[in-house]
Amino acid sequence: MVQLEEIRKTFPMEAGPVYALRGVNLHIKRGEMVAITGSSGSGKTTLMNILGCLSSPDSGTYRLAGEEVSNLSQQQLATIRSRRIGFVFQTFNLLPRLNALQNVELPLLYARATAGAIDRARHALERVGLADRVEHFPNQLSGGQCQRVAIARALVNEPSIILADEPTGAVDSVTSQDIMKLFHSLHAEGRTIIIVTHDQGVAAQCERQIVLKDGTVTIPGKGGNS
Amino acid sequence: MVQLEEIRKTFPMEAGPVYALRGVNLHIKRGEMVAITGSSGSGKTTLMNILGCLSSPDSGTYRLAGEEVSNLSQQQLATIRSRRIGFVFQTFNLLPRLNALQNVELPLLYARATAGAIDRARHALERVGLADRVEHFPNQLSGGQCQRVAIARALVNEPSIILADEPTGAVDSVTSQDIMKLFHSLHAEGRTIIIVTHDQGVAAQCERQIVLKDGTVTIPGKGGNS
Ligand SMILES: Nc1ncnc2c1ncn2[C@@H]1O[C@H](COP(=O)(O)OP(=O)(O)OP(=O)(O)O)[C@@H](O)[C@H]1O
Ligand SMILES: Nc1ncnc2c1ncn2[C@@H]1O[C@H](COP(=O)(O)OP(=O)(O)OP(=O)(O)O)[C@@H](O)[C@H]1O
Ligand SMILES: [Mg+2]
Ligand SMILES: [Mg+2]
């Protein structure tokens, strides 16, 4: 499903280049639930942005569901992002002028799936325990509530691949467990789930763990760097 | 040092009022290191904003170092905030058009402590492990690096009270331990430290734990609600 070979990403800076990804090799099968861990600054978000087709590597290949992603047009990439991938951003990226319901509805409108969009958005918010916060704007929500709106938004399109960058970082352990139950049930439906996490308890609930260190994979599991 | 009595805070919403704080009683002595825990949405950030003189309660009293805060002028409050309180925000609140060094330097400039400000800012960034990221802008930093810049900025003024709203939420356990070592050494210098956290490991390192539930204190420790 997701195959990366020798992926490199460098950020040129005046003080000198930052080698964020230094040859990442990764193979994640359809329907797997995988954790990506590693210390702060090790390259996890940079990797997720490439997996989510939000940024391009400088070199290396990325095959998504058998297709070489760098051969796809901007239009095709946008279609993949809106219909096949659900992305929970580390910084949530909610639109401040839309309330929770409108934020969650947005991917459905982008995918032209407008029929019943409001009901689907409302249902997604119920699944993350926010039925009574649907009309709040992001600045009227707690940190953990914003995180849950971001999760609801990532799931509302019923994507086949879910990329979650630290989905439990802002919540208490009980809420974290509710979120993991939700991910487990999505996994049971056959979706591929990739979770970046600093929480060992969350990582332990995944089928395997991929560890990033200084921009490369250090514990391969099946199919990482060796 | 910090004494709250019957603090209430309500957010009026079209769908009905949200009673965020429903009579909080709290007494934290000078030099204590205290954890505030509670589930997502329980009122922790709302409480921290009142403690940090960033928002006012609707009713109840707040005595800070013996003075009733509601009797102070805006000017006096601003002076207290800039010189006595260091605040690590849950959402970091870094200025996007300033780099890490400039962001950390800002409280010194506000407090008119401009002599040696750049060196002090650089030193604060070294203490959180970011010596090699001083010229990066927030959008060129990882989530955990932004968190550490926010911590460095809160400490650069050497405040007597440190309010940290989830200071380790975005980092791995090793970095989290480095941050806690830093807080312990600040505590050893006699500073008062109040940490909101979802991490039981962090809460256990504090002298006592105050639990918020639905806007009131449930485990008093010494001096909470009873
Ligand atoms: N746009 C950018 N320009 C320059 N450097 C960048 C940029 N984005 C990220 N970096 C650097 O690349 C490295 C990897 O960043 P990344 O955000 O992938 O880390 P991470 O593993 O997600 O960390 P965290 O756990 O703190 O979120 C970091 O050292 C960061 O400073
Ligand atoms: N400006 C606001 N307008 C309306 N409701 C608000 C506002 N700010 C907070 N709330 C509500 O008040 C309650 C408490 O919010 P608060 O941010 O204090 O929670 P918290 O304990 O910090 O949660 P978390 O652990 O998720 O950060 C939440 O239910 C939230 O939706
Ligand atoms: Mg990250
Ligand atoms: Mg909060």
Side-chain angles (χ1 to χ4, degrees):
Chain A
M1 168 63 98
V2 166
Q3 208 158 345
L4 301 185
E5 273 178 40
E6 286 303 314
I7 291 290
R8 295 180 189 282
K9 182 78 176 176
T10 300
F11 295 109
M13 300 290 290
E14 273 198 38
V18 173
Y19 300 103
L21 298 177
R22 309 174 189 213
V24 169
N25 295 304
L26 204 51
H27 182 189
I28 297 174
K29 297 201 181 68
R30 185 182 301 266
E32 275 200 283
M33 182 163 161
V34 173
I36 298 179
T37 63
S39 58
S40 172
S42 56
K44 306 179 296 298
T45 293
T46 307
L47 177 60
M48 291 291 262
N49 287 339
I50 288 170
L51 288 175
C53 304
L54 294 162
S55 75
S56 312
D58 297 325
S59 62
T61 57
Y62 174 19
R63 300 185 73 80
L64 176 62
E67 287 234 48
E68 170 53 52
V69 160
S70 50
N71 294 339
L72 301 174
S73 69
Q74 280 305 322
Q75 181 57 40
Q76 290 170 310
L77 283 177
T79 305
I80 289 179
R81 278 199 304 272
S82 69
R83 303 207 183 181
R84 306 204 48 187
I85 299 176
F87 205 127
V88 186
F89 295 94
Q90 184 170 11
T91 47
F92 317 153
N93 296 7
L94 301 181
L95 297 184
R97 295 198 196 138
L98 300 186
N99 66 27
L101 192 67
Q102 293 163 333
N103 263 289
V104 174
E105 216 192 338
L106 216 50
L108 295 172
L109 305 183
Y110 276 138
R112 306 281 183 277
T114 42
I118 291 191
D119 290 338
R120 291 173 69 181
R122 197 177 283 278
H123 177 63
L125 281 166
E126 285 170 13
R127 289 186 84 179
V128 295
L130 291 177
D132 59 352
R133 289 286 181 274
V134 296
E135 298 195 0
H136 284 232
F137 288 80
N139 67 356
Q140 299 171 323
L141 292 169
S142 77
Q145 290 167 346
C146 285
Q147 183 153 54
R148 284 180 275 162
V149 173
I151 292 171
R153 182 182 62 181
L155 308 182
V156 75
N157 246 343
E158 309 208 4
S160 50
I161 304 169
I162 294 161
L163 302 174
D165 197 343
E166 314 226 28
T168 64
V171 299
D172 55 287
S173 48
V174 172
T175 309
S176 172
Q177 210 33 51
D178 294 339
I179 290 170
M180 287 312 290
K181 282 207 201 95
L182 180 51
F183 281 130
H184 284 302
S185 72
L186 292 160
H187 182 225
E189 293 166 8
R191 301 174 206 279
T192 307
I193 307 200
I194 304 172
I195 302 178
V196 164
T197 184
H198 283 309
D199 187 332
Q200 274 309 320
V202 167
Q205 297 185 38
C206 298
E207 293 175 304
R208 64 181 167 113
Q209 192 172 322
I210 294 164
V211 182
L212 264 199
K213 184 173 157 60
D214 297 327
T216 58
V217 175
T218 56
I219 297 182
K222 307 192 187 50
N225 291 10
S226 39
Chain B
M1 169 64 100
V2 167
Q3 206 160 347
L4 301 184
E5 271 177 42
E6 286 304 313
I7 291 289
R8 295 180 190 283
K9 182 78 176 175
T10 300
F11 295 109
M13 300 289 290
E14 272 199 38
V18 173
Y19 301 104
L21 297 177
R22 310 173 189 215
V24 169
N25 295 304
L26 204 51
H27 183 188
I28 297 173
K29 299 199 181 68
R30 185 181 301 266
E32 276 201 281
M33 182 163 161
V34 173
I36 298 179
T37 63
S39 58
S40 173
S42 57
K44 306 178 297 297
T45 293
T46 306
L47 177 60
M48 290 292 261
N49 286 338
I50 288 170
L51 289 175
C53 304
L54 293 162
S55 74
S56 311
D58 297 326
S59 63
T61 56
Y62 174 18
R63 300 186 72 82
L64 175 61
E67 287 233 49
E68 171 51 53
V69 160
S70 50
N71 295 339
L72 300 174
S73 68
Q74 280 305 322
Q75 181 58 39
Q76 290 170 310
L77 282 176
T79 304
I80 290 179
R81 278 199 304 272
S82 68
R83 301 206 185 183
R84 306 205 45 187
I85 298 175
F87 205 127
V88 186
F89 295 93
Q90 185 170 9
T91 47
F92 317 152
N93 296 7
L94 301 181
L95 297 185
R97 295 198 196 138
L98 301 186
N99 65 27
L101 191 67
Q102 293 163 334
N103 263 289
V104 174
E105 214 191 340
L106 216 50
L108 295 172
L109 306 183
Y110 275 137
R112 306 281 184 275
T114 43
I118 290 191
D119 290 337
R120 291 173 67 182
R122 197 176 286 277
H123 177 64
L125 283 165
E126 286 169 13
R127 288 186 85 179
V128 296
L130 292 177
D132 58 352
R133 288 288 181 274
V134 296
E135 298 196 357
H136 284 232
F137 288 80
N139 67 355
Q140 297 170 324
L141 292 169
S142 78
Q145 290 167 346
C146 286
Q147 183 153 53
R148 285 180 273 161
V149 174
I151 292 171
R153 181 182 62 181
L155 308 183
V156 77
N157 245 342
E158 308 206 6
S160 50
I161 304 169
I162 294 161
L163 303 173
D165 197 343
E166 314 228 24
T168 65
V171 300
D172 55 287
S173 48
V174 172
T175 308
S176 172
Q177 211 33 50
D178 293 338
I179 290 170
M180 287 311 291
K181 281 206 203 97
L182 180 49
F183 281 130
H184 284 301
S185 70
L186 292 160
H187 182 225
E189 292 167 9
R191 301 175 206 282
T192 308
I193 308 199
I194 304 172
I195 302 177
V196 163
T197 184
H198 283 309
D199 188 331
Q200 275 308 320
V202 167
Q205 297 186 37
C206 298
E207 294 175 304
R208 65 181 168 114
Q209 192 171 322
I210 293 164
V211 182
L212 264 198
K213 185 174 158 61
D214 297 328
T216 57
V217 175
T218 56
I219 296 182
K222 306 193 186 54
N225 292 9
S226 39

